[in-house]
Amino acid sequence: MSDMAINPAGRGRLLAVLPKLAATALMLVLAAVWLGPLLLIVMTSIKSNAEFLAGPFALPKSPTIQPYIDVWFGLGFGTLLRNSLIYATAGSALAVTLALVPAFALSRMNVPGRKWIFGLLLTGLMLPQQTVLIPLYDTLRTFHLLDTKIGLIIVHGVYGMPLQVLILRGFMTTIPPEIEKAAYVEGATDFQVFWKVILPLSVPGILVGYTLNFIAIWKEFVFGLVFLNSEDNFPVTVGMLKLNSDRYLAVFNLPAAGLVISQLPIVILFILTYRQISGGNLSGAVKG
Amino acid sequence: MAEVSLKDVEKRYAMVPVLSGLNLDIQDGEFTVLVGPSGCGKTTTLNMIAGLESITGGTLRIGARDVTTLPPKDRDIAMVFQSYALFPHMTVRDNIAFGMKIRKAPKADMDAQIRQVAQRLRIDDLLDRLPKALSGGQRQRVALGRALVRRPGVFLMDEPLSNLDAKMRIEARSFLTKMHQEIGTTTVYVTHDQAEAMTMGSKIVVMYGGKIQQAAAPLEVYNRPANQFVAGFIGSPAMNFLSLLYDGNSLLDKAGAVRIAVPQNRRAALAGHKGKKVTLGVRPEHFSILPPGAVPEPDSIAFDVDVIQHLGHEVLLDLSAGDHRCIARLPPSDRSKVGENRLFSIDMDHVHYFDGDSGTNLIDYSRQQ
């Protein structure tokens, strides 16, 4: 036997780890595809515009926060972020609140025709934004809610509700039915079962739904653009349109800094809620 | 406390009957066990008593009241579930207090009763813990505490011990029996474990195929089973069945492996079955082994010994004679060997005769003694 011969045991080990290696390599490539542009934006946001033009992909030689200062004061980012925070916080809260009772009824109660009702609600998910723009515009105008914060909050709440029903119904279905039965036997009414048992146990589901809705509203652009006129009411996505004007035609670091600022809140939100979202709180309820 | 009465109770799902003609009277303070294999309808029956399943026919009374259509909260019942069904976001104290809070009981009464029940169940040091921090046995006691604290008219228990390990189950069985003796509340208990039913119930209700097969005291069910199903379900190892032909004097099989003389006092009961199939039911303990070289008797069968199971306090022998398979329970002193062919005598005073087609017990015990 030559020294070059492969030990059969070693070859077996290699064959065993090969799929793992391939999977890891694939994940690294995918991560690079996602993280590459993000990294490029962050790098661009801490360069001067001249440095960016000299080498768009080069690492920053003299990092600066000046683009952040310029874009913050130039665009009134404080107001834009505050507005986005209001729309995302209140709009998501409204969507979740509107979805809680239907989700409970559709998951836990014998509502006649519940499959049809659920299907009907889900059609709301399939409607492209463009198809509801005109009716929503008309409705907001009728109620004098055009170009108002409350008007846009209502639109986001109603538009987000079907997804919340889908998420919450799915979550509530996983709550063991014995827990609900125990509450009924103990004397609870339907409302008490909902309020004292199902609702507290649905908190992780609510957080998931709320977070997803928050992110969707934060990133939303079309409703804000169509239903608002006053700069005071603009969310960050619409406010950043200014960076698309001729004045910033050859400026790259300011939009990059604006993008980083605009995305930071949802990254923070995700970090704060990640643990709650990933962990359930049903342990100990039933044998398992 | 209250009695429970089911009259012609039915349950249908989309016109498919799953339970029919249930008639059952449970006396005040009785510990009644509903027992049967999976799918026999015992849990559905319990859920109907609880009000968690609607009753599609017949009437249900708890105490003097017709509760057929009342919601669970108005039935004066408490229930312990197989999976404990504790509220995971509430402490043990809040779990136990849940029903009393719903009923807006005064706080002082509530605290006193929780303390009393917690001490009785030995969970008074666990009151501020969440269910996830408890062991299976502790969770089971908390579930029991939640039921006990309201002092209901009827306790309903749906296989409350089936999630415990074997040792804890035996302890919990004694605990529940003792507790019932102390408080005397009417209890309806569901299990698929016939040993649990035999040891705990003052009445056993054997169910199969959505019907009550027999409702009687445990020993009555064991010694005088109404039919072949009950005879086979109650007892471990199960009763042996030999499908034979009755010739007017003896039970025999065509192959000639078995021929048993029917005692004179049983022939009247079998009179209408001459020339028909009759199933002979023999409990394992009613076999006894004859010494080697013994002469065959009218109540003996020659069996091959296939398997020997030494359990310490007894020996179980797997036997075969032609197509017939039996298990015999013998004292630990038995020295049989695998492969031997031995004569076994049957205690004919304790055997059962079942109709070969319907499985009905052919002996009318109400006429006996």
Side-chain angles (χ1 to χ4, degrees), chain B residues 99-120:
Chain B
M100 289 193 293
K101 279 184 183 168
I102 293 277
R103 287 173 171 76
K104 297 189 167 47
K107 192 170 182 314
D109 285 2
M110 208 155 62
D111 290 343
Q113 285 182 44
I114 291 170
R115 206 167 33 247
Q116 192 188 349
V117 166
Q119 280 168 357
R120 180 194 283 260

PDB file of all heavy atoms in Angstrom, chain B residues 99-120:
ATOM      1  N   GLY B  99     -61.394  29.385  38.685  1.00  0.00           N
ATOM      2  CA  GLY B  99     -62.852  29.233  38.720  1.00  0.00           C
ATOM      3  C   GLY B  99     -63.504  30.125  39.763  1.00  0.00           C
ATOM      4  O   GLY B  99     -64.576  30.684  39.536  1.00  0.00           O
ATOM      5  N   MET B 100     -62.837  30.257  40.915  1.00  0.00           N
ATOM      6  CA  MET B 100     -63.411  31.086  41.983  1.00  0.00           C
ATOM      7  C   MET B 100     -63.373  32.562  41.610  1.00  0.00           C
ATOM      8  O   MET B 100     -64.287  33.320  41.931  1.00  0.00           O
ATOM      9  CB  MET B 100     -62.661  30.835  43.290  1.00  0.00           C
ATOM     10  CG  MET B 100     -62.955  29.447  43.870  1.00  0.00           C
ATOM     11  SD  MET B 100     -62.393  29.271  45.563  1.00  0.00           S
ATOM     12  CE  MET B 100     -60.660  29.364  45.338  1.00  0.00           C
ATOM     13  N   LYS B 101     -62.300  32.958  40.913  1.00  0.00           N
ATOM     14  CA  LYS B 101     -62.224  34.358  40.460  1.00  0.00           C
ATOM     15  C   LYS B 101     -63.328  34.643  39.453  1.00  0.00           C
ATOM     16  O   LYS B 101     -63.947  35.716  39.483  1.00  0.00           O
ATOM     17  CB  LYS B 101     -60.859  34.636  39.829  1.00  0.00           C
ATOM     18  CG  LYS B 101     -59.769  34.912  40.844  1.00  0.00           C
ATOM     19  CD  LYS B 101     -58.479  35.280  40.138  1.00  0.00           C
ATOM     20  CE  LYS B 101     -57.353  35.495  41.136  1.00  0.00           C
ATOM     21  NZ  LYS B 101     -56.050  35.577  40.475  1.00  0.00           N
ATOM     22  N   ILE B 102     -63.542  33.689  38.544  1.00  0.00           N
ATOM     23  CA  ILE B 102     -64.612  33.858  37.545  1.00  0.00           C
ATOM     24  C   ILE B 102     -65.950  34.049  38.260  1.00  0.00           C
ATOM     25  O   ILE B 102     -66.783  34.860  37.847  1.00  0.00           O
ATOM     26  CB  ILE B 102     -64.677  32.611  36.624  1.00  0.00           C
ATOM     27  CG1 ILE B 102     -63.416  32.498  35.768  1.00  0.00           C
ATOM     28  CG2 ILE B 102     -65.947  32.598  35.776  1.00  0.00           C
ATOM     29  CD1 ILE B 102     -63.378  33.301  34.518  1.00  0.00           C
ATOM     30  N   ARG B 103     -66.132  33.297  39.348  1.00  0.00           N
ATOM     31  CA  ARG B 103     -67.399  33.382  40.090  1.00  0.00           C
ATOM     32  C   ARG B 103     -67.379  34.505  41.127  1.00  0.00           C
ATOM     33  O   ARG B 103     -68.285  34.599  41.957  1.00  0.00           O
ATOM     34  CB  ARG B 103     -67.682  32.048  40.767  1.00  0.00           C
ATOM     35  CG  ARG B 103     -68.105  30.973  39.785  1.00  0.00           C
ATOM     36  CD  ARG B 103     -68.213  29.615  40.444  1.00  0.00           C
ATOM     37  NE  ARG B 103     -68.821  28.654  39.547  1.00  0.00           N
ATOM     38  CZ  ARG B 103     -68.212  28.074  38.511  1.00  0.00           C
ATOM     39  NH1 ARG B 103     -66.946  28.359  38.272  1.00  0.00           N
ATOM     40  NH2 ARG B 103     -68.831  27.217  37.726  1.00  0.00           N
ATOM     41  N   LYS B 104     -66.294  35.291  41.113  1.00  0.00           N
ATOM     42  CA  LYS B 104     -66.153  36.445  42.011  1.00  0.00           C
ATOM     43  C   LYS B 104     -66.320  36.055  43.486  1.00  0.00           C
ATOM     44  O   LYS B 104     -67.072  36.690  44.243  1.00  0.00           O
ATOM     45  CB  LYS B 104     -67.151  37.541  41.627  1.00  0.00           C
ATOM     46  CG  LYS B 104     -66.912  38.108  40.231  1.00  0.00           C
ATOM     47  CD  LYS B 104     -67.769  39.318  39.986  1.00  0.00           C
ATOM     48  CE  LYS B 104     -67.356  40.109  38.769  1.00  0.00           C
ATOM     49  NZ  LYS B 104     -67.108  39.380  37.545  1.00  0.00           N
ATOM     50  N   ALA B 105     -65.614  35.012  43.893  1.00  0.00           N
ATOM     51  CA  ALA B 105     -65.651  34.589  45.299  1.00  0.00           C
ATOM     52  C   ALA B 105     -64.895  35.613  46.143  1.00  0.00           C
ATOM     53  O   ALA B 105     -63.934  36.228  45.662  1.00  0.00           O
ATOM     54  CB  ALA B 105     -65.001  33.225  45.431  1.00  0.00           C
ATOM     55  N   PRO B 106     -65.310  35.834  47.407  1.00  0.00           N
ATOM     56  CA  PRO B 106     -64.583  36.773  48.270  1.00  0.00           C
ATOM     57  C   PRO B 106     -63.128  36.323  48.448  1.00  0.00           C
ATOM     58  O   PRO B 106     -62.868  35.125  48.576  1.00  0.00           O
ATOM     59  CB  PRO B 106     -65.339  36.686  49.607  1.00  0.00           C
ATOM     60  CG  PRO B 106     -66.648  36.075  49.280  1.00  0.00           C
ATOM     61  CD  PRO B 106     -66.456  35.228  48.079  1.00  0.00           C
ATOM     62  N   LYS B 107     -62.212  37.304  48.460  1.00  0.00           N
ATOM     63  CA  LYS B 107     -60.787  36.974  48.452  1.00  0.00           C
ATOM     64  C   LYS B 107     -60.381  36.157  49.682  1.00  0.00           C
ATOM     65  O   LYS B 107     -59.588  35.207  49.581  1.00  0.00           O
ATOM     66  CB  LYS B 107     -59.967  38.270  48.382  1.00  0.00           C
ATOM     67  CG  LYS B 107     -58.525  37.976  48.071  1.00  0.00           C
ATOM     68  CD  LYS B 107     -57.727  39.195  47.754  1.00  0.00           C
ATOM     69  CE  LYS B 107     -56.292  38.845  47.388  1.00  0.00           C
ATOM     70  NZ  LYS B 107     -55.646  37.900  48.254  1.00  0.00           N
ATOM     71  N   ALA B 108     -60.944  36.517  50.844  1.00  0.00           N
ATOM     72  CA  ALA B 108     -60.561  35.801  52.071  1.00  0.00           C
ATOM     73  C   ALA B 108     -60.943  34.320  51.964  1.00  0.00           C
ATOM     74  O   ALA B 108     -60.144  33.435  52.302  1.00  0.00           O
ATOM     75  CB  ALA B 108     -61.253  36.444  53.272  1.00  0.00           C
ATOM     76  N   ASP B 109     -62.162  34.048  51.464  1.00  0.00           N
ATOM     77  CA  ASP B 109     -62.605  32.656  51.291  1.00  0.00           C
ATOM     78  C   ASP B 109     -61.692  31.926  50.320  1.00  0.00           C
ATOM     79  O   ASP B 109     -61.303  30.783  50.526  1.00  0.00           O
ATOM     80  CB  ASP B 109     -64.032  32.610  50.700  1.00  0.00           C
ATOM     81  CG  ASP B 109     -65.071  32.979  51.735  1.00  0.00           C
ATOM     82  OD1 ASP B 109     -64.657  33.292  52.869  1.00  0.00           O
ATOM     83  OD2 ASP B 109     -66.265  32.951  51.392  1.00  0.00           O
ATOM     84  N   MET B 110     -61.377  32.657  49.235  1.00  0.00           N
ATOM     85  CA  MET B 110     -60.565  32.071  48.177  1.00  0.00           C
ATOM     86  C   MET B 110     -59.199  31.656  48.727  1.00  0.00           C
ATOM     87  O   MET B 110     -58.759  30.521  48.528  1.00  0.00           O
ATOM     88  CB  MET B 110     -60.383  33.115  47.072  1.00  0.00           C
ATOM     89  CG  MET B 110     -60.174  32.549  45.707  1.00  0.00           C
ATOM     90  SD  MET B 110     -60.677  33.718  44.447  1.00  0.00           S
ATOM     91  CE  MET B 110     -59.605  35.082  44.717  1.00  0.00           C
ATOM     92  N   ASP B 111     -58.558  32.585  49.454  1.00  0.00           N
ATOM     93  CA  ASP B 111     -57.225  32.289  50.010  1.00  0.00           C
ATOM     94  C   ASP B 111     -57.285  31.097  50.956  1.00  0.00           C
ATOM     95  O   ASP B 111     -56.417  30.222  50.932  1.00  0.00           O
ATOM     96  CB  ASP B 111     -56.667  33.521  50.739  1.00  0.00           C
ATOM     97  CG  ASP B 111     -56.314  34.629  49.762  1.00  0.00           C
ATOM     98  OD1 ASP B 111     -56.202  34.319  48.553  1.00  0.00           O
ATOM     99  OD2 ASP B 111     -56.171  35.789  50.191  1.00  0.00           O
ATOM    100  N   ALA B 112     -58.319  31.077  51.796  1.00  0.00           N
ATOM    101  CA  ALA B 112     -58.430  29.995  52.781  1.00  0.00           C
ATOM    102  C   ALA B 112     -58.610  28.647  52.080  1.00  0.00           C
ATOM    103  O   ALA B 112     -57.969  27.648  52.443  1.00  0.00           O
ATOM    104  CB  ALA B 112     -59.605  30.277  53.717  1.00  0.00           C
ATOM    105  N   GLN B 113     -59.459  28.629  51.062  1.00  0.00           N
ATOM    106  CA  GLN B 113     -59.722  27.353  50.377  1.00  0.00           C
ATOM    107  C   GLN B 113     -58.514  26.882  49.586  1.00  0.00           C
ATOM    108  O   GLN B 113     -58.220  25.685  49.540  1.00  0.00           O
ATOM    109  CB  GLN B 113     -60.935  27.505  49.457  1.00  0.00           C
ATOM    110  CG  GLN B 113     -62.233  27.542  50.243  1.00  0.00           C
ATOM    111  CD  GLN B 113     -63.440  27.650  49.326  1.00  0.00           C
ATOM    112  OE1 GLN B 113     -63.512  26.960  48.321  1.00  0.00           O
ATOM    113  NE2 GLN B 113     -64.368  28.516  49.670  1.00  0.00           N
ATOM    114  N   ILE B 114     -57.816  27.844  48.960  1.00  0.00           N
ATOM    115  CA  ILE B 114     -56.610  27.462  48.203  1.00  0.00           C
ATOM    116  C   ILE B 114     -55.586  26.848  49.158  1.00  0.00           C
ATOM    117  O   ILE B 114     -54.983  25.809  48.869  1.00  0.00           O
ATOM    118  CB  ILE B 114     -56.010  28.678  47.465  1.00  0.00           C
ATOM    119  CG1 ILE B 114     -56.933  29.107  46.333  1.00  0.00           C
ATOM    120  CG2 ILE B 114     -54.625  28.360  46.916  1.00  0.00           C
ATOM    121  CD1 ILE B 114     -56.563  30.423  45.695  1.00  0.00           C
ATOM    122  N   ARG B 115     -55.418  27.487  50.319  1.00  0.00           N
ATOM    123  CA  ARG B 115     -54.445  26.985  51.306  1.00  0.00           C
ATOM    124  C   ARG B 115     -54.814  25.564  51.742  1.00  0.00           C
ATOM    125  O   ARG B 115     -53.990  24.659  51.791  1.00  0.00           O
ATOM    126  CB  ARG B 115     -54.404  27.943  52.498  1.00  0.00           C
ATOM    127  CG  ARG B 115     -53.082  27.924  53.240  1.00  0.00           C
ATOM    128  CD  ARG B 115     -52.881  29.051  54.223  1.00  0.00           C
ATOM    129  NE  ARG B 115     -54.090  29.497  54.874  1.00  0.00           N
ATOM    130  CZ  ARG B 115     -54.639  30.692  54.688  1.00  0.00           C
ATOM    131  NH1 ARG B 115     -54.098  31.532  53.846  1.00  0.00           N
ATOM    132  NH2 ARG B 115     -55.735  31.046  55.335  1.00  0.00           N
ATOM    133  N   GLN B 116     -56.102  25.387  52.013  1.00  0.00           N
ATOM    134  CA  GLN B 116     -56.577  24.089  52.502  1.00  0.00           C
ATOM    135  C   GLN B 116     -56.344  22.988  51.444  1.00  0.00           C
ATOM    136  O   GLN B 116     -55.805  21.926  51.746  1.00  0.00           O
ATOM    137  CB  GLN B 116     -58.068  24.212  52.814  1.00  0.00           C
ATOM    138  CG  GLN B 116     -58.629  23.043  53.589  1.00  0.00           C
ATOM    139  CD  GLN B 116     -60.153  23.147  53.697  1.00  0.00           C
ATOM    140  OE1 GLN B 116     -60.741  24.175  53.372  1.00  0.00           O
ATOM    141  NE2 GLN B 116     -60.767  22.074  54.149  1.00  0.00           N
ATOM    142  N   VAL B 117     -56.736  23.297  50.217  1.00  0.00           N
ATOM    143  CA  VAL B 117     -56.586  22.302  49.142  1.00  0.00           C
ATOM    144  C   VAL B 117     -55.109  22.032  48.854  1.00  0.00           C
ATOM    145  O   VAL B 117     -54.696  20.882  48.667  1.00  0.00           O
ATOM    146  CB  VAL B 117     -57.311  22.793  47.866  1.00  0.00           C
ATOM    147  CG1 VAL B 117     -56.895  21.977  46.654  1.00  0.00           C
ATOM    148  CG2 VAL B 117     -58.802  22.700  48.054  1.00  0.00           C
ATOM    149  N   ALA B 118     -54.303  23.106  48.865  1.00  0.00           N
ATOM    150  CA  ALA B 118     -52.874  22.948  48.575  1.00  0.00           C
ATOM    151  C   ALA B 118     -52.203  22.082  49.634  1.00  0.00           C
ATOM    152  O   ALA B 118     -51.340  21.256  49.315  1.00  0.00           O
ATOM    153  CB  ALA B 118     -52.205  24.314  48.495  1.00  0.00           C
ATOM    154  N   GLN B 119     -52.618  22.251  50.883  1.00  0.00           N
ATOM    155  CA  GLN B 119     -52.037  21.418  51.946  1.00  0.00           C
ATOM    156  C   GLN B 119     -52.451  19.958  51.773  1.00  0.00           C
ATOM    157  O   GLN B 119     -51.641  19.048  51.891  1.00  0.00           O
ATOM    158  CB  GLN B 119     -52.481  21.928  53.321  1.00  0.00           C
ATOM    159  CG  GLN B 119     -51.654  23.125  53.770  1.00  0.00           C
ATOM    160  CD  GLN B 119     -52.235  23.837  54.972  1.00  0.00           C
ATOM    161  OE1 GLN B 119     -53.299  23.475  55.464  1.00  0.00           O
ATOM    162  NE2 GLN B 119     -51.554  24.868  55.420  1.00  0.00           N
ATOM    163  N   ARG B 120     -53.700  19.761  51.453  1.00  0.00           N
ATOM    164  CA  ARG B 120     -54.199  18.394  51.261  1.00  0.00           C
ATOM    165  C   ARG B 120     -53.447  17.684  50.129  1.00  0.00           C
ATOM    166  O   ARG B 120     -53.138  16.500  50.214  1.00  0.00           O
ATOM    167  CB  ARG B 120     -55.691  18.444  50.935  1.00  0.00           C
ATOM    168  CG  ARG B 120     -56.325  17.074  50.723  1.00  0.00           C
ATOM    169  CD  ARG B 120     -57.676  17.243  50.076  1.00  0.00           C
ATOM    170  NE  ARG B 120     -58.681  17.670  51.030  1.00  0.00           N
ATOM    171  CZ  ARG B 120     -59.563  16.845  51.599  1.00  0.00           C
ATOM    172  NH1 ARG B 120     -59.554  15.579  51.293  1.00  0.00           N
ATOM    173  NH2 ARG B 120     -60.449  17.299  52.450  1.00  0.00           N
TER     174      ARG B 120
END
